[in-house]
Structure formats: C-alpha cells, structure tokens
Amino acid sequence: MIVSDTIVAPATAPGRSAISIIRLSGPLSLHIAKILCGKTLKPRIATFGSVTFNTETIDTGIWIYFATPHSFTGEETVEFQGHGGPVVVQAILRITTELGARLADPGEFSQRAFLNGKIDLTQAEAISDLINASSLSAVKAANNSLKGEFAKSINAIVTELVVLRTQIEAHIDFPDEDIELKDTEAFSAALNHIRSELNKLLTSAHDGAKLNQSAEIVLIGEPNAGKSSLLNSLAKEPLAIVTDIPGTTRDLVGYDLLIDGLEIRITDTAGIRSTNDIIETEGINRAIKAMVTADLVLCLFDERHHLITDDTIQTLIGNNTNTPVGLLSTKVDIKQKPVKNHTTYPLLEISAKTGEGLAEFQSWLLEKLNLTTHCETPYLARERHIKHLALAKTYIDATNQHKLSTEALDLIAEDLRLTQNALSEITGAFTSDDLLTSIFSTFCIGK
Ligand SMILES: Nc1nc2c(ncn2[C@@H]2O[C@H](COP(=O)(O)OP(=O)(O)O)[C@@H](O)[C@H]2O)c(=O)[nH]1
Ligand SMILES: [Mg+2]
C-alpha cells in the first residue's frame, strides 16, 4: 500500500441534483468523517448522519465507510451522499480541506486504485471509457475491459513470453549449467503461437478503438434553409430559435442525437452569407471553425430558392474544410417535385416540419459516417493500446530474422524482452522483478 495524503472530491456531476456524493480517500478519511457526523462508522454500513462543523449543520445524508484495503482505491475511504446543491457541496469540500484533506486531481482516485494494485491500467482506462461511452456496444466492451478481460489476454501472452525468455536467458546467463533449448521446433512453435495471439489481439484492438470514436456533424447552409428546425426536430425540443428572419441563429447550438444507443453530436450554426452585422459575422466564423473539426458537414438547402450545384456548395464551404459533405434538401412538404441531384455529393430530402425523411436520415447518417450501432468487439481499446500492440508485433516479428542458434540467442532474447515491455506498458505492470523470479525459481540459487 502506497502511503499518501487524503483527497476529497465530488463524485457526482456539478449542478443541482437530488443527491450528490462526496468521496474522501486516504488516511484521514475516517477521522474527518467522525468529526463531521459525530458517529462511529462501521465498514460498509450506511449510517444516517449530518455534516456538522463548528456547531453548524451544513447537510444531512448517508455516510458509508470502506476500510482499507476493501475500497475502490484500496485506502481508507468514506463517501457522503447528501443533497445535490452546489453550495452545499462546495461548503462540505471547504470544511474537509480545512480538516486536512486536499482536493483531488482529475482521475486521482482511479490512479490510487492502480498504484495500490486494485486495478491495472487497462481497467483504470475502462472506467473512464465506460463513463464516456457513446454507444451501447462501447458500454459492453468497456465493461469487458473493466472486468480485466483485455488485461487477461495480454497477460496470457506475457506469460508465454516469460516462459520462452526464461529458457533463453537461463542458457545465456548460465552457460555452464546443462540447460539447453531442448527442442528448437517447440520453441519456434511457441513463438508462432505468441505471434498469432498478438495478431488477434491487435485486430480486436483496432475494432475496439472504433467504439471509442464519436462523431460530430455540423449543419450549414444559407439562412432560412431550415437548419435550426432540423436540430429542434431531432432533439424534440426547441433548442434553437426558429424564425423566417434570415440571420436568426448566431451561436453554435449542439444536441447529442442517440441513434440505437450511438451518440452523435449535431451542431446548428449561423447561416453562411455576406453580412455587415458584427455578431452574425462572429457566428459565421464559428460555423466555419466547427466545419473544420467535424466528421461530416451537412449542407441544407431550400431547393425552391436555389438550384443545388457543386459551385453553390463550394461557395458555402469555401476552402475551409476537407471534411466530407452531405446535402439535405429541406422542406420537402412544400415542394412540387422530387429534387434532382446535380452535384457530386450524396443528397437526401427531409422535412423538419412533418418528419418526412427523418427516419431514413438516421441510417443515411450512420452510413455516411461509416459507423455501425452493433459492433461486437471484446474490448474497448485506445490508441495507446494499439501503439504498444503494434510495437510488440514489430519486436516479435523481428525474432523471425534470426535462425535459432546459440549465437542468435542474445538477439532473440532482446526482441522478446522488448515485446514483453511493450505489452506490459499496456497493463502498467512492472516486469523485470517478475522475470528474475521466474528465471531463478527454476534454479537452485544456493549452488
Ligand atoms: N414548411 C416547412 N417549413 C420549414 C421547414 N423547416 C423550416 N421551415 C421554416 O423555414 C424558416 C427558417 O427555418 P430555420 O430553421 O430558422 O432556418 P435556419 O435559418 O436555416 O436555421 C422558418 O420559418 C421555418 O418554420 C420544413 O421542413 N417545412
Ligand atoms: Mg437557424
């Protein structure tokens, strides 16, 4: 157990809510809780009590004490579930810091859980991935990683590597001992097995990384094209002001659209046109900036007023973006005939007023974004994991360059060591001690 100071932080989101949870972790946690509630707290028992400091009661709620090491962080931990008012929460945080706690840094509870060996790095990352999951598939995959499935697959490969390294290093370090690589074929087979397991893991990590992606869509077009109406219709509430006065929308207005559990951020913007209005100009600049970082720009057109051509779209998006573009022909409810697509961009007809085309719009959107709502993958992987898995693959592949011979053992040993290091970086494990233990456990050291 790493001895550290006592940290405190609200565990619930800021703002007003029915309940908020404040969490203390570290050696002073129970001491601080006792001062505030004036009661003896028993581990894992919910105790009703107040937060009273200097005879003044700030809140009443439920106190729960988790004794070390049976807590999330492994340290002495206390949680207080109180009323969810920002002033109440701030007052409790201030009092606990007066009593010796320190405000926690972001992720510090999980970091302590990792440092105290309660979870490995992939599990710590999975906690954050679960919270930020943008689809049900991502939730499932993050839960698998949280259960330690990803680390288990990595550790299985590491175990195989350690066995091979033990054989090789023993031969290098104790050449006088009669330890030989008995069967080079078996050794090559073991290497091949590691290689294929690593390849499988890399493939599922690539799939898993896709789940970590979320998409951002920006609605642009001329004023009055129906951008804000579309946003409101998708959100089923009037988030953006809709009028028939051009230039109504100025600021960016966002909404997280859920399609089969997949979250897609849709941003309404100011209509793009020349204007002398300073505020509207700023709104247009924001729209242009949003286009650059978006995954898809949707150009909305009221076809009754404009023939849609590549030129008109280029005028709107200018040289501002390489982001893919799609076209939405709006107000289909008051159009005479179906729109003909004279452009090279994909086009869909919709009506924000009647909802026509909006169901199709959702699947069209997923297709244009190359997203799927049902991605079955065992793990939710991050770029960091892919980077280290790819590195591990490079090292294990490098062992292929050497013919298995006594002269090549040093080189193979080094490649295997680097492979293991790359994998251990993923789980955050410290490996050299493990390796020493493994090597000498097969020897009589007293000799
Ligand atoms: N008939 C019809 N009118 C619409 C539709 N969408 C928007 N409008 C009208 O078009 C005008 C401009 O809409 P708005 O959403 O503010 O356009 P924006 O400037 O692109 O955000 C408003 O009067 C809306 O009521 C639609 O699907 N059908
Ligand atoms: Mg608008």
Side-chain angles (χ1 to χ4, degrees), residues 292-363:
V292 178
T293 54
D295 297 290
L296 179 68
V297 170
L298 288 180
C299 263
L300 278 72
F301 280 89
D302 182 346
E303 224 256 341
R304 293 171 307 156
H305 305 305
H306 303 276
L307 181 69
I308 312 167
T309 65
D310 281 354
D311 283 348
T312 40
I313 294 159
Q314 277 306 316
T315 312
L316 282 173
I317 58 175
N319 299 323
N320 298 304
T321 176
N322 292 320
T323 313
V325 176
L327 293 184
L328 291 179
S329 173
T330 58
K331 309 185 192 181
V332 64
D333 55 297
I334 46 172
K335 264 179 216 157
Q336 306 297 325
K337 53 183 176 352
V339 175
K340 225 170 160 206
N341 189 357
H342 299 282
T343 76
T344 49
Y345 301 97
L347 180 143
L348 190 78
E349 292 183 83
I350 55 152
S351 166
K353 194 169 178 183
T354 62
E356 200 179 330
L358 290 190
E360 197 187 343
F361 169 69
Q362 306 213 351
S363 44

Side-chain angles (χ1 to χ4, degrees), residues 31-253:
H31 169 73
I32 293 173
K34 270 185 187 161
I35 292 176
L36 298 180
C37 74
K39 291 186 178 176
T40 301
L41 301 176
K42 290 197 190 112
R44 294 165 186 259
I45 303 280
T47 306
F48 181 72
S50 66
V51 177
T52 304
F53 188 58
N54 290 340
T55 69
E56 206 168 337
T57 296
I58 306 295
D59 200 5
T60 45
I62 303 291
W63 288 92
I64 306 176
Y65 163 49
F66 300 92
T68 182
H70 306 294
S71 66
F72 170 66
T73 59
E75 301 176 328
E76 293 280 276
T77 301
V78 176
E79 286 183 11
F80 175 70
Q81 303 178 3
H83 294 93
V87 179
V88 178
V89 172
Q90 283 310 316
I92 298 173
L93 291 178
R94 188 176 43 74
I95 292 167
T96 52
T97 53
E98 273 178 39
L99 291 171
R102 161 178 73 74
L103 290 178
D105 291 332
E108 207 172 356
F109 290 87
S110 301
Q111 192 186 350
R112 287 185 176 202
F114 166 66
L115 290 175
N116 290 323
K118 302 290 288 186
I119 49 172
D120 65 51
L121 264 191
T122 61
Q123 288 173 304
E125 288 167 329
I127 293 171
S128 147
D129 290 341
L130 181 59
I131 293 168
N132 293 315
S134 57
S135 70
L136 284 175
S137 302
V139 166
K140 256 164 96 178
N143 270 311
N144 281 341
S145 296
L146 189 55
K147 274 191 277 173
E149 297 294 329
F150 187 37
K152 220 198 253 168
S153 303
I154 289 169
N155 289 336
I157 300 179
V158 168
T159 305
E160 289 183 38
L161 278 167
V162 169
V163 170
L164 288 193
R165 290 190 61 202
T166 304
Q167 290 177 21
I168 288 197
E169 305 238 354
H171 196 70
I172 294 169
D173 293 345
F174 298 88
D176 295 340
E177 297 283 334
D178 193 19
I179 302 167
E180 289 187 4
L181 295 171
K182 290 184 201 109
D183 184 348
T184 53
E185 259 178 37
F187 190 85
S188 301
L191 264 184
N192 281 339
H193 185 254
I194 292 175
R195 216 171 274 135
S196 102
E197 289 301 300
L198 205 49
N199 277 336
K200 275 191 229 159
L201 206 54
L202 193 57
T203 307
S204 36
H206 272 296
D207 287 345
K210 282 187 203 146
L211 287 177
N212 242 340
Q213 291 166 357
S214 54
E216 296 215 7
I217 289 164
V218 169
L219 306 182
I220 63 154
E222 293 177 338
N224 270 355
K227 301 176 291 298
S228 301
S229 300
L230 173 63
L231 184 88
N232 292 347
S233 169
L234 294 170
K236 298 190 177 66
E237 56 177 314
L239 295 180
I241 300 170
V242 169
T243 71
D244 54 6
I245 305 163
T248 303
T249 308
R250 274 107 189 272
D251 229 332
L252 303 182
V253 183

